[in-house]
């Protein structure tokens, strides 16, 4: 199969993720969209690894997964804490840190 | 006493090789202070300690402070007398004793020692300063008796004595300069002694500023000396001047700069305008500082620097022109004022003009100038103390038109004032007759047209002096009384207490006999000869001295007669006639011959405009740039911070936008 198709799929996933981050208010959904973007990036890495015939991309993809896993832990904890104090999971409600 | 060989300073052979600029060994040309002379420093330190105790002791010394200050002055006078008699006991050319105090500025090749020099010239000045100073201290005990700040007054007086003694005792120009500045400071402090009066505060500032102009001249002269000779010691500088190692141009420049300093301190044209205003100070101060001692410092400076002035004819010409001009300026303005102290102030200006004229005549006149200075110290201090006594009696009224017929009520003041008055107009055989006559004679003897011009100016000055002093005397003590002892402006004139009349008596005696004592037998001239050089006595006389003396007396008698006709035989108006009813000259004289107007228009206003322009440049230009850039940054950041909305999604959008921009840029660079 043409490797370019994987790239197109990756771009689509990334776009969906980015639009989701920008448009959705629910922190959990925004978080999932961030994961989507990360995995789109992983797909690109693996695809290029395949195209170039090297393993670098695949190794970096593993790193990204590890980082993503760590991020999930921290991120969910943050979201949970915010929800407990403010009774809301909307990212627009958390806007105290401003000018 | 001392056996140290010594010769006259200006012609000392060892002075000749001192041309090199660097590190010249200081040879002791003066005998070092041994025996009684080792207490020379006490002269200075006594009044200085008095001032320090009174200023630092504060209110605790209020009760006895004035007594301490007077005692300090008197002790200093006693020391001066002892030193003077010790000096008399030495041989004629061994009468210059110097005392090394400490090394003041030891910087490699620039060595300045703080040293004192007690020679014939400074001895006379020290006697005058401490003697008249002591009398005026005593007088002030009475004059300032009711002043709440009397202690401060006496502290400043002692400070002045110490500064003035430093000025005349310094053995190099830098010590002299220190004294010069310190007397300026004391003068300032004492003029503004009643500082809650705006006029006094302004007068003090004016005196300070105008003195600065002169001081800059003196400072530059000292720098010139150091630049050319490499030293500021009297003996080195004068030795170099006499040996001709300083170029004529430089020498003239130094002399003219010294003259500028002298003019500032002595109230000579064109820096005379501060002295009459300085009369805002208490009257004893006017007597001590602004008549007898400090304002004569300029004459001292020129007489001290005589080896320089002797060598430069050009500078001496300027000195005599300033002297002769100032005689007439002072006389003319003195005729127009009704304020008794202002008249005396302008009289001082004009009498110092005589001294300048004398010292400007060169070796023929240095001693004459000093003699007139000493005699003037007596009679002018006496006049001022008498005026103070009158002002005291008339409830601080200074307008002579409100005086009159006081002689019966104040006999001692009248008598002492009268003697001093006769002395100043040159009534024989009082002191002014001898000293002023000698100066007029010397001016005529200068020869040529210039001699006649200068002599005529001095002669005319003598006539006008007789006029305005007679006017002052008659308006104050004789004629009808123009005051009342009843009603709202009642005054009760009375003789001053003993403590005030006491000091006036010795001054009057001095004014009476000093001139004859100095002139007859040439005592002061011979005494001063080692310092200022032999005067070319018995030279060619332009006019026979007898004729000239008769002429001087005639002119003075004319001035007296004019004043007598106008102010004794005719009643004096109690209010001065308005400007419209008097002549042009009187109007001009009432306005100080427009000296203040001129200074204001030429120096003060442009100066003010310049400062205003600079202030404008500073606020608009410099501050404007700084404030403008600060405001620009502040405004910009005020707008920029609005982008910090707190909404995490807008940050995400800007990150995305940024990433797109970076990718786009990469794409353009790599692909496009």
């Amino acid at each position: 199969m043409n490797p370019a198709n994987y790239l197109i799929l990756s771009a689509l996933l990334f776009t969906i993720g980015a639009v989701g981050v920008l448009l959705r208010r629910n922190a959990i959904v925004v978080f999932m969209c961030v994961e989507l973007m990360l995995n789109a990036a992983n797909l690109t890495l693996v695809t290029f690894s395949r195209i170039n015939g090297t393993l670098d991309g695949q190794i970096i993809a593993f790193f990204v997964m590890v980082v993503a896993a760590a991020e999930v832990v921290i991120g969910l904890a943050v979201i949970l804490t915010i929800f407990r104090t403010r009774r809301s999971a909307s990212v627009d409600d958390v806007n105290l840190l401003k000018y | 006493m001392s056996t140290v060989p010594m010769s006259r300073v200006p012609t000392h052979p060892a002075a000749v090789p001192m041309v090199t600029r660097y590190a010249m060994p200081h040879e002791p040309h003066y005998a070092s202070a041994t025996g009684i002379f080792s207490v020379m420093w006490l002269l200075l330190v006594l009044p200085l300690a008095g001032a320090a105790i009174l200023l630092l002791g504060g209110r605790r010394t209020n009760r006895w402070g004035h007594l301490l200050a007077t005692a300090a002055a008197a002790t200093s006078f006693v020391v001066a007398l002892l030193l003077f008699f010790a000096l008399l006991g030495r041989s004629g050319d061994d009468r210059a004793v110097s005392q090394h105090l400490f090394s003041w500025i030891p910087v490699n090749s620039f060595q300045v020692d703080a040293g004192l020099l007690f020679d014939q010239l400074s001895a006379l000045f020290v006697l005058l300063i401490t003697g008249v100073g002591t009398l005026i201290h005593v007088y002030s005990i009475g004059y300032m008796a009711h002043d709440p700040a009397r202690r401060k007054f006496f502290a400043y007086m002692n400070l002045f004595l110490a500064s003035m003694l430093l000025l005349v005792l310094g053995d190099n120009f830098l010590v002299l300069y220190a004294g010069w500045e310190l007397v300026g400071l004391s003068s300032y402090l004492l003029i503004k002694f009643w500082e809650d009066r705006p006029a006094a505060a302004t007068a003090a500032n004016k005196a300070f500023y105008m003195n600065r102009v002169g001081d800059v001249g003196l400072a530059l002269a000292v720098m010139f000396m150091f630049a050319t000779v490499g030293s500021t010691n009297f003996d080195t500088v004068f030795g170099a001047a006499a040996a001709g190692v300083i170029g004529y141009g430089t020498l003239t420049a130094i002399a003219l700069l010294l003259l500028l300093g002298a003019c500032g301190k002595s109230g000579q044209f064109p820096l005379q305008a501060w002295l009459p205003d300085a009369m805002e100070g208490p009257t004893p101060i006017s007597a001590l500082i602004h008549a007898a001692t400090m304002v004569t410092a300029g004459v001292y400076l020129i007489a001290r620097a005589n080896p320089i002035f002797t060598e430069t004819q050009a500078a001496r010409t300027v000195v005599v022109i300033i002297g002769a001009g100032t005689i007439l300026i002072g006389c003319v303005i003195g005729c127009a004022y009704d304020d008794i102290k202002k008249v005396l102030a302008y009289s001082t200006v004009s009498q110092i003009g005589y001294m300048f004229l004398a010292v400007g005549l060169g070796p023929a006149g240095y001693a004459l100038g000093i003699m007139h200075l000493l005699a003037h110290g007596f009679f002018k201090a006496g006049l001022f103390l008498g005026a103070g006594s009158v002002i005291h009696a008339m409830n601080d009224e200074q307008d002579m038109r409100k005086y009159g017929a006081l002689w019966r009520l104040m006999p001692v003041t009248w008598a002492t004032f009268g003697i001093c008055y006769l002395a100043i107009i040159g009534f024989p055989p009082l002191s002014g007759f001898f000293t002023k006559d000698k100066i007029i004679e010397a001016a005529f003897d200068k020869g040529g047209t210039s001699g006649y011009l200068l002599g005529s100016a001095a002669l005319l000055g003598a006539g006008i002096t007789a006029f305005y002093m007679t006017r002052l005397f008659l308006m104050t003590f004789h004629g009808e009384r123009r005051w009342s002892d009843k009603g709202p402006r009642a005054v009760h004139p009375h003789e001053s207490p003993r403590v005030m009349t006491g000091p006036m008596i010795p001054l009057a005696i001095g004014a009476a006999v000093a001139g004859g004592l100095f002139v007859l037998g040439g005592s002061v001239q011979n005494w001063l000869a080692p310092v200022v050089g032999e005067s070319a006595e018995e030279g060619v006389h332009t006019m026979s001295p007898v004729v000239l003396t008769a002429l001087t007396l005639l002119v003075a008698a004319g001035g007296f007669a004019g004043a007598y006709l106008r102010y004794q035989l005719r009643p004096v108006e109690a209010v001065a006639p308005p400007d419209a009813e008097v002549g042009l000259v009187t109007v001009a004289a009432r306005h100080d011959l427009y000296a203040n107007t001129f200074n204001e228009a030429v120096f003060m206003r442009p100066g003010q405009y310049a400062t205003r322009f600079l202030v404008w440049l500073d606020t608009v230009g410099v501050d404007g740039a700084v404030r403008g850039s600060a405001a620009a940054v502040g405004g910009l950041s005020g707008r920029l911070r609005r982008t910090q909305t707190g909404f995490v999604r807008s940050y995400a959008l800007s990150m995305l936008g940024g990433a797109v921009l970076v990718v786009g840029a990469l794409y353009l660079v790599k692909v496009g």
Side-chain angles (χ1 to χ4, degrees):
Chain A
M1 205 163 112
N2 185 5
N5 291 341
Y6 295 103
L7 291 180
I8 291 165
L9 175 64
S10 160
L12 275 175
L13 286 175
F14 190 88
T15 309
I16 292 167
V19 170
V21 167
L22 293 180
L23 296 184
R24 298 303 296 263
R25 289 194 178 82
N26 191 315
I28 303 289
V29 177
V30 170
F31 201 63
M32 280 159 52
C33 290
V34 170
E35 292 300 316
L36 201 57
M37 285 157 75
L38 282 170
N39 283 315
N42 275 351
L43 186 56
T44 320
L45 287 167
V46 174
T47 309
F48 280 119
S49 172
R50 173 70 186 272
I51 290 171
N52 293 334
T54 57
L55 284 175
D56 295 0
Q58 296 194 30
I59 292 167
I60 295 174
F62 278 115
F63 275 107
V64 172
M65 280 180 208
V66 172
V67 171
E71 188 216 324
V72 167
V73 174
I74 305 287
L76 280 176
V78 170
I79 291 167
L80 204 63
T81 315
I82 290 174
F83 183 76
R84 275 184 186 164
T85 53
R86 305 185 69 91
R87 290 281 134 205
S88 157
S90 166
V91 286
D92 284 2
D93 285 349
V94 192
N95 65 348
L96 286 180
L97 197 66
K98 60 181 176 187
Y99 54 83
Chain B
M1 218 168 276
S2 169
T3 52
V4 180
M6 224 212 69
S7 63
R8 249 181 66 203
V9 178
T11 55
H12 193 280
V16 180
M18 292 195 189
V19 198
T20 51
R21 284 191 48 173
Y22 303 109
M24 56 189 69
H26 178 80
E27 291 184 37
H29 298 293
Y30 304 123
S32 59
T34 50
I36 179 118
F37 289 104
S38 51
V39 298
M40 202 190 289
W41 55 274
L42 270 181
L43 284 173
L44 282 175
V45 170
L46 284 168
L48 192 64
I53 291 170
L54 262 57
L55 285 176
L56 298 176
R59 252 175 295 172
R60 260 160 296 174
T61 62
N62 267 359
R63 253 181 333 112
W64 43 267
H66 52 285
L67 299 177
L68 178 84
T70 311
T75 321
S76 194
F77 178 56
V78 171
V79 173
L81 273 180
L82 287 175
L83 293 185
F84 176 71
F85 284 116
L87 208 61
L88 271 180
R90 296 168 80 105
S91 67
D93 52 1
D94 191 26
R95 283 187 181 141
V97 187
S98 77
Q99 183 174 37
H100 173 89
L101 294 182
F102 54 88
S103 183
W104 185 16
I105 310 177
V107 185
N108 196 15
S109 69
F110 184 48
Q111 297 285 338
V112 179
D113 292 343
L116 304 181
L117 169 66
F118 195 77
D119 68 352
Q120 293 91 332
L121 183 61
S122 44
L124 290 181
F125 268 90
V126 167
L127 283 178
L128 175 77
I129 294 161
T130 53
V132 175
T134 305
L135 290 176
I136 293 176
H137 270 77
V138 174
Y139 178 91
S140 305
I141 293 176
Y143 192 86
M144 303 298 283
H146 305 298
D147 198 296
R150 177 168 68 167
R151 172 185 56 82
K152 208 171 70 174
F153 179 82
F154 276 90
Y156 291 160
M157 288 255 278
N158 263 1
L159 178 66
F160 167 75
L161 277 191
S163 324
M164 190 71 203
L165 289 168
L166 183 68
L167 197 166
V168 297
L169 280 171
D171 76 342
N172 63 59
F173 276 100
L174 222 54
V175 174
L176 182 149
Y177 185 76
W180 192 268
E181 293 292 328
L182 279 170
V183 290
L185 168 72
S186 347
S187 158
Y188 167 80
L189 289 172
L190 285 162
I191 295 172
K192 71 159 191 72
F193 184 71
W194 289 316
E195 57 203 344
D196 46 347
R197 297 183 187 171
T202 314
N205 285 339
K206 184 174 173 185
F208 202 77
Y209 293 145
M210 295 196 76
N211 266 296
R212 303 287 338 146
V213 178
D215 294 350
V216 168
L218 179 58
L220 285 176
V222 175
M223 291 174 199
F224 257 112
M225 283 171 202
F226 181 68
T228 48
V229 188
S231 168
T232 59
N233 287 323
F234 286 159
D235 49 0
T236 319
V237 174
F238 297 157
V245 294
I246 309 177
Y248 186 75
T250 316
L251 204 63
T252 308
I254 292 175
L256 288 177
L257 287 167
L258 287 174
L259 175 64
L260 178 64
C263 283
K265 199 57 91 195
S266 292
Q268 296 296 290
F269 180 82
L271 297 173
Q272 82 280 21
W274 68 271
L275 187 52
D277 284 23
M279 297 299 124
E280 287 296 333
T283 307
I285 291 315
S286 310
L288 178 61
I289 301 187
H290 304 118
T293 56
M294 186 193 83
V295 290
T296 56
V299 184
Y300 169 78
L301 183 67
I302 295 177
R304 174 57 83 194
N306 66 77
I308 296 177
F309 281 90
T310 304
E311 297 295 322
T312 160
Q313 178 61 47
R316 270 190 290 135
T317 308
V318 181
V319 178
V320 288
I321 290 172
I322 285 179
T326 312
I327 292 175
L328 294 179
I329 291 175
C331 283
V332 169
I333 302 177
C335 296
Y337 268 102
D338 292 325
D339 182 320
I340 186 170
K341 285 183 72 182
K342 290 253 173 161
V343 176
L344 288 177
Y346 272 112
S347 156
T348 306
V349 168
S350 114
Q351 294 300 312
I352 298 173
Y354 275 104
M355 301 169 205
F356 268 61
L357 173 62
V359 294
L361 291 173
Y366 294 127
L368 301 181
I370 299 298
M371 281 193 289
H372 192 56
L373 189 159
L374 297 173
H376 176 258
F378 284 114
F379 59 66
K380 189 51 66 64
L383 287 172
F384 264 112
L385 294 192
S389 174
V390 172
I391 293 168
H392 206 60
M394 299 296 286
N395 287 350
D396 293 334
E397 177 62 68
Q398 299 193 7
D399 187 351
M400 296 189 295
R401 288 187 186 273
K402 302 204 166 58
Y403 294 170
L406 290 172
W407 70 280
R408 239 182 243 284
L409 297 163
M410 311 179 70
V412 181
T413 305
W414 172 74
T416 54
F417 196 95
I419 291 170
C420 295
Y421 147 71
L422 290 175
I424 192 176
I425 67 169
F427 188 82
L430 305 182
S431 57
F433 166 71
F434 290 105
T435 55
K436 205 191 291 178
D437 193 52
K438 279 276 182 192
I439 293 175
I440 297 173
E441 196 182 308
F444 273 112
D445 286 350
K446 186 171 181 286
T449 322
S450 64
Y452 271 106
L453 278 175
L454 296 171
S456 310
L459 200 58
L460 184 63
I464 308 178
T465 306
F467 175 81
Y468 72 77
M469 284 309 296
T470 308
R471 171 178 180 267
L472 183 148
F473 188 69
L474 294 178
M475 279 173 89
T476 304
F477 290 103
H478 295 277
E480 301 159 358
R481 53 184 250 197
R482 295 177 296 277
W483 44 272
S484 161
D485 50 8
K486 295 179 195 67
R489 303 196 50 138
V491 284
H492 303 281
H494 51 87
E495 185 56 280
S496 299
R498 284 263 179 80
V499 71
M500 280 167 71
T501 52
M504 283 145 64
I505 294 165
L507 286 174
I509 295 171
V513 301
L517 220 58
F518 296 157
V519 173
L520 296 181
S523 57
V524 170
Q525 265 172 315
N526 292 339
W527 170 259
L528 285 175
V531 183
V532 299
E534 302 282 349
S535 68
E537 190 67 45
E538 304 321 316
V540 189
H541 285 305
T542 311
M543 267 190 243
S544 133
V546 180
V547 175
L548 199 57
T549 305
L551 197 61
T552 312
L553 285 176
L554 201 67
V555 170
F560 173 83
Y564 191 81
L565 290 174
R566 174 71 187 79
Y567 295 101
Q568 178 70 13
L569 300 183
R570 281 204 281 161
V572 179
E573 303 92 330
V575 178
D579 282 358
E581 291 175 24
V582 294
L584 273 178
V585 180
T586 314
V587 176
R590 279 181 183 178
H591 292 92
D592 308 277
L593 295 181
Y594 303 108
N596 287 323
T597 323
F598 178 83
N599 286 343
E600 192 179 317
V602 176
F603 299 110
M604 196 194 106
R605 293 289 167 208
Q608 274 185 331
Y609 291 136
T611 50
R612 272 183 214 157
F613 172 72
L614 287 176
V615 167
W616 177 84
L617 205 67
D618 186 49
T619 40
V620 176
V622 179
D623 288 9
V626 173
R627 291 218 188 94
S629 50
V633 171
L636 198 65
S637 55
R639 280 174 183 73
L640 268 179
R641 70 179 190 167
R642 292 280 154 192
T643 56
Q644 302 277 326
T645 54
F647 293 116
V648 74
R649 294 184 303 145
S650 66
Y651 302 157
L653 179 62
S654 49
M655 279 171 72
L656 185 70
V660 169
L661 275 180
V662 171
V663 172
L666 279 175
Y667 184 78
L668 274 179
V669 173
K670 286 276 183 192
V671 184

